[in-house]
Amino acid sequence: RPLKQGVDGPLVSNVPHFTSVHLTRRDRFVILASDGLWDVLEDDEAVRLASEVSKNASAYGSRSSVSSTEARKLIPQAVADALLKRATELGSADNITVLVVWLEWES
């Protein structure tokens, strides 16, 4: 049977959800993700998880042979992986895409 049979309206929306915010030095990262993440994870929970993972990754860098510069490069991927894992654990039924942009402010 045709995929669209019995469905009113489009199956996929081409209208993005976006917002504009002014970033400050207090902001450490930006999480860009598909609705597969946001359908199951609230903003504040994603930020909390990202903060926890970044602290743990920073601590790992200080305890290992990995330089602090190299450890910092690994943090965005570690955060994205943790968010993806959490969304999967919460049963997200949609595709999940997560990109974490780490912000480093000039002194």
Side-chain angles (χ1 to χ4, degrees):
R1 98 185 178 156
L3 180 62
K4 194 167 174 160
Q5 183 178 357
V7 176
D8 293 331
L11 294 176
V12 178
S13 171
N14 64 346
V15 179
H17 170 78
F18 65 94
T19 186
S20 175
V21 295
H22 179 76
L23 299 176
T24 68
R25 290 183 178 276
R26 290 187 59 210
D27 297 307
R28 297 185 352 217
F29 52 84
V30 176
I31 302 170
L32 304 168
S34 65
D35 57 348
L37 179 79
W38 302 122
D39 286 348
V40 295
L41 209 60
E42 294 295 326
D43 297 358
D44 59 339
E45 186 178 355
V47 169
R48 182 191 53 74
L49 180 58
S51 295
E52 285 177 14
V53 170
S54 69
K55 286 177 190 173
N56 292 340
S58 295
Y60 169 78
S62 65
R63 294 189 316 262
S64 72
S65 61
V66 176
S67 72
S68 61
T69 302
E70 289 302 312
R72 275 198 318 270
K73 290 179 183 177
L74 301 175
I75 292 173
Q77 185 64 55
V79 170
D81 291 345
L83 290 168
L84 174 65
K85 180 180 178 193
R86 184 68 180 134
T88 302
E89 291 170 349
L90 291 171
S92 178
D94 205 343
N95 62 325
I96 308 167
T97 302
V98 182
L99 172 69
V100 177
V101 178
W102 212 258
L103 305 173
E104 293 190 17
W105 299 94
E106 292 182 5
S107 300

